[in-house]
Amino acid sequence: MERTLEMQLEESIHNPGITGVLCVDNNGLCLGAKGSAPLKACGSISALAGQAAKLANPNGPTPVICLESEHGIVLIKKTDKLTTALFKSS
Amino acid sequence: MTEELKTYLLKLMGTVEGLHAIAITDRDGVVIVKVTGQMAPDPALRPPFLSVFGVMAEQASKMGIGSNKRIINYYSTYQTVQVNHHPLLLHFIADKNANTGLILELENELADVLKEINKVVGMM
Amino acid sequence: MSLMCTSSGLLFRLRIRHSDNTKLKSLLNSEGSLLAFSGFPDKDASAAGAIASNIWTSFQKSGQYSLDDGKLNCVLVECKLGKIAITKVANLLLCLCAKETVSYGMLKTKIEAMAAYLEEPLSQVASS
């Protein structure tokens, strides 16, 4: 059942620079994680995506959130029932 | 101490959108401390509701998969997240769309508080 | 893996795919007795089933009285060595047992998907 998701996650982690990937549902519960993605970030990721969606044009596509720090970059994007976060090392 | 604790719990409650109430009870559902928002369903913060988790946690521990840690219920308008922090029980009552992941994270923030309460309860 | 289920003299078969992580799937009637289960043969299945059914009924009742909300959609139980999800399908309960490493989100999504998949065939059994 979840094999496709696992495969997609596995595939994305093999991209250069990606250290972790995390998928959460609309309740902020973890659906899948690969690499060094922090599992305790699940709630915050879906909360952030929800907040950002309020700032963006309601008719347009959902925004991509990019968090930059000294240690790396986190990219977050919400789709219908899923929020995905990519962790990149800089 | 209670006032301080309540202020802290209220602050934590504010960090999660749609979280209506936090309660810390003993095993029998007797409230030790609770904070509620305006939208909180009042009867849910009384022992008849809160005591159910204590009994169910005990039963769930007999399912052959170790002692019970948490039970999450999704109703059509609310969700409840209840944590077994022996001998204390931690209850969160929230909107059904609230962020369960964030609520589960609050548990870690409350670890120190629970330890303090445990000390006090242990003295009695 | 196929799941055999007899109820009210009607026999039907449901194909259910097993994955590595979900150990056991069971169908219970509202009294908590086991109607069907698939997974590793386990003598605890019926006892666990009865407990799962009791958990569901208790929370459903207490929700009805205290939250004014008798419609329980899903229960997730986490124990030290595993997680369990319970939901209602037609007038039966579906119970999924997983390892403790399975995440809440996956367990919840999975039981929702299975409930939707089993809803139609099981309502036919329920009404017969």
Side-chain angles (χ1 to χ4, degrees):
Chain A
M1 262 167 120
E2 68 269 42
R3 204 150 292 156
T4 342
L5 177 71
E6 297 266 330
M7 267 162 57
Q8 288 284 346
L9 292 176
E10 193 62 50
E11 210 172 286
S12 54
I13 195 115
H14 288 309
N15 284 311
I18 306 287
T19 57
V21 55
L22 201 59
C23 269
V24 295
D25 72 359
N26 283 348
N27 278 111
L29 297 173
C30 177
L31 281 168
K34 280 269 150 47
S36 62
L39 283 177
K40 60 176 187 176
C42 287
S44 320
I45 283 164
S46 107
L48 266 174
Q51 299 280 354
K54 285 179 190 163
L55 297 174
N57 177 6
N59 302 318
T62 53
V64 175
I65 308 162
C66 178
L67 296 168
E68 283 184 55
S69 75
E70 273 177 31
H71 310 290
I73 299 169
V74 190
L75 291 163
I76 303 169
K77 163 91 175 162
K78 185 180 172 0
T79 46
D80 190 23
K81 284 180 174 171
L82 193 78
T83 309
T84 313
L86 273 178
F87 294 76
K88 282 174 86 171
S89 58
S90 51
Chain B
M1 182 200 163
T2 333
E3 280 312 306
E4 250 174 68
L5 187 57
K6 278 194 174 174
T7 325
Y8 180 63
L9 288 180
L10 274 173
K11 198 189 95 192
L12 283 185
M13 198 170 87
T15 60
V16 182
E17 208 181 314
L19 180 57
H20 299 316
I22 304 177
I24 300 172
T25 69
D26 72 354
R27 253 187 325 186
D28 304 314
V30 179
V31 178
I32 294 169
V33 62
K34 70 173 177 189
V35 287
T36 53
Q38 284 177 336
M39 304 276 284
D42 215 28
L45 289 145
R46 301 217 177 96
F49 181 79
L50 298 174
S51 63
V52 176
F53 173 57
V55 182
M56 288 307 126
E58 218 164 88
Q59 287 214 0
S61 303
K62 292 175 189 156
M63 290 178 95
I65 47 168
S67 58
N68 180 253
K69 288 207 280 193
R70 293 179 196 94
I71 297 182
I72 306 175
N73 292 324
Y74 289 94
Y75 294 90
S76 61
T77 43
Y78 296 104
Q79 61 170 294
T80 61
V81 179
Q82 299 174 299
V83 187
N84 185 2
H85 208 284
H86 192 78
L88 300 173
L89 304 178
L90 191 54
H91 310 256
F92 298 95
I93 294 156
D95 191 78
K96 73 156 195 300
N97 293 320
N99 194 320
T100 320
L102 278 183
I103 296 175
L104 288 170
E105 273 311 304
L106 286 188
E107 190 194 321
N108 299 332
E109 312 239 351
L110 283 168
D112 288 339
V113 171
L114 290 169
K115 218 182 269 174
E116 286 300 313
I117 298 176
N118 242 340
K119 264 189 222 163
V120 180
V121 174
M123 274 192 285
M124 284 191 290
Chain C
M1 174 166 288
S2 61
L3 182 85
M4 302 285 285
C5 182
T6 50
S7 176
S8 319
L10 189 80
L11 183 74
F12 68 99
R13 260 180 93 188
L14 298 160
R15 308 206 89 218
I16 289 169
R17 242 174 269 138
H18 255 281
S19 64
D20 321 324
N21 289 328
T22 322
K23 287 198 283 194
L24 184 77
K25 298 183 174 94
S26 54
L27 270 174
L28 314 162
N29 68 7
S30 47
E31 286 93 49
S33 55
L34 211 56
L35 278 184
F37 96 102
S38 95
F40 303 119
D42 190 337
K43 63 177 193 301
D44 281 346
S46 59
I51 295 174
S53 158
N54 190 19
I55 291 177
W56 176 274
T57 322
S58 304
F59 279 117
Q60 199 242 326
K61 275 189 187 148
S62 73
Q64 199 164 15
Y65 289 125
S66 300
L67 295 171
D68 211 10
D69 187 352
K71 198 175 177 306
L72 188 53
N73 292 321
C74 180
V75 175
L76 303 174
V77 181
E78 183 187 350
C79 293
K80 221 170 190 170
L81 305 172
K83 288 193 179 92
I84 291 169
I86 315 166
T87 196
K88 199 168 183 137
V89 189
N91 63 346
L92 306 167
L93 287 181
L94 174 69
C95 179
L96 229 88
C97 305
K99 283 185 198 165
E100 74 278 18
T101 48
V102 177
S103 57
Y104 274 127
M106 184 47 77
L107 193 60
K108 184 164 177 276
T109 311
K110 210 166 203 178
I111 199 163
E112 277 165 4
M114 284 193 56
Y117 176 68
L118 293 171
E119 180 69 39
E120 205 214 316
L122 286 178
S123 349
Q124 286 173 11
V125 178
S127 61
S128 64

